[in-house]
Amino acid sequence: MPMRVAISALTNNERVELWERAADMLPPQRAVALVSAYLLSQYEGDVVDWTLAGRDHFLLLAYRAEFGESIAVVCACSECTAKTQLSFTVSQVLASGSERLKSNTEATEINTEAYLHYYETLDTELGMAAFSGRFRLPIVRDLFVLASSNSPLSKPHTQSEFAQCVLDPASYRDVLSCIDKSEDAASAWRAFYLALEARMLEIEPLTIVSLNSACTECGAETAHQFDIANQFWSLLTSDVERQLWDVHLLASAYGWSSHDILAMSPARRRQHIAMVIDS
């Protein structure tokens, strides 16, 4: 069900509660938990029907509310494995999205209708046969289906499962028919998957966010896939761990509850910590 959401930063207590709730989750479930932290409870179940691009668009806006514009990630060179730090902004990533998502970027309230899927057409060649069918962008629920196969998308079996998720039933049957007639099924699935991915990125570039970097050691160019859910979780974890040390220090000194310590203003908390250290 579409809704309108105004994203605002979580309180310190809410951050800790979110971290505790999501700590033992697998990445797909954790990303849903991160989004759900900003929604009314009755709408949390709707996130699994959002497109992956919609989920990530929402998380980018939530990241900006929590941590600001700047993003820094460390990536490894594909040739020599040397580490390179890439720095960019939330706005730069958002600017690469489709017009459908851009309508939500600067809005005071987010309309989640923009995150719901719709069907588009794909025309491509499969071996000696022409294929024309209908597909949608991948949704969050698809990740749970694919995770059960425990196989990478480079494998024909998983590519078939992915196609079954995103194609309408008639189009999926047509794909199977075309590939059954091909001499090399694995190559045919690979070609179809690449054509489908390219068409998805044409419609919605935020479906996969790739960052290109040149290695400062060997000069090789490497494409890195950026995962906003992982980045959000990494910063949230660092912040919560720091805050829990504050709780440990002040609770040990004063006997205050974790909830009361986390509810303090940063200035008051710093002052109490300084007093404990100096005493």
Side-chain angles (χ1 to χ4, degrees), residues 32-258:
V32 171
L34 293 177
V35 171
S36 298
Y38 299 89
L39 306 178
L40 296 175
S41 58
Q42 63 263 38
Y43 295 119
E44 291 177 4
D46 296 347
V47 179
V48 294
D49 293 319
W50 290 4
T51 64
L52 295 183
R55 179 203 68 180
D56 289 354
H57 182 272
F58 188 96
L59 283 175
L60 282 161
L61 296 176
Y63 179 99
R64 183 160 64 185
E66 298 292 348
F67 309 112
E69 274 281 340
S70 299
I71 301 175
V73 294
V74 176
C75 304
C77 173
S78 59
E79 294 295 327
C80 69
T81 70
K83 297 295 194 301
T84 301
Q85 179 168 300
L86 301 179
S87 298
F88 50 100
T89 67
V90 170
S91 293
Q92 287 174 322
V93 180
L94 291 173
S96 69
S98 66
E99 292 303 319
R100 179 182 175 92
L101 292 187
K102 284 180 182 176
S103 64
N104 261 339
T105 298
E106 300 301 333
T108 304
E109 288 188 334
I110 297 169
N111 184 355
T112 63
E113 186 173 4
Y115 300 156
L116 301 179
H117 70 80
Y118 56 95
Y119 279 88
E120 287 279 359
T121 58
L122 170 66
D123 298 303
T124 188
E125 297 291 326
L126 273 177
M128 301 297 292
F131 170 81
S132 180
R134 298 173 68 246
F135 74 95
R136 59 164 172 75
L137 295 177
I139 62 175
V140 173
R141 192 188 302 275
D142 296 338
L143 292 182
F144 302 145
V145 175
L146 296 175
S148 64
S149 70
N150 197 29
S151 179
L153 270 172
S154 58
K155 301 294 184 181
H157 174 71
T158 314
Q159 290 166 354
S160 175
E161 285 190 335
F162 178 73
Q164 189 171 18
C165 285
V166 301
L167 295 173
D168 70 17
S171 298
Y172 180 65
R173 290 193 295 271
D174 290 345
V175 168
L176 293 180
S177 177
C178 290
I179 290 179
D180 284 343
K181 297 173 184 175
S182 67
E183 296 181 357
D184 184 346
S187 296
W189 272 119
R190 177 63 177 166
F192 178 75
Y193 175 75
L194 291 176
L196 180 59
E197 180 183 74
R199 181 75 174 107
M200 287 178 172
L201 289 174
E202 179 185 343
I203 295 167
E204 183 47 75
L206 277 185
T207 300
I208 302 174
V209 178
S210 292
L211 308 172
N212 296 319
S213 67
C215 179
T216 56
E217 298 294 327
C218 71
E221 294 279 342
T222 303
H224 308 279
Q225 190 168 326
F226 174 63
D227 184 349
I228 181 58
N230 182 66
Q231 180 72 7
F232 192 115
W233 179 252
S234 178
L235 265 65
L236 178 69
T237 298
S238 296
D239 176 73
V240 168
E241 289 176 348
R242 177 186 60 78
Q243 295 208 62
L244 290 181
W245 276 111
D246 290 354
V247 169
H248 171 72
L249 184 65
L250 295 179
S252 299
Y254 296 107
W256 295 332
S257 70
S258 172

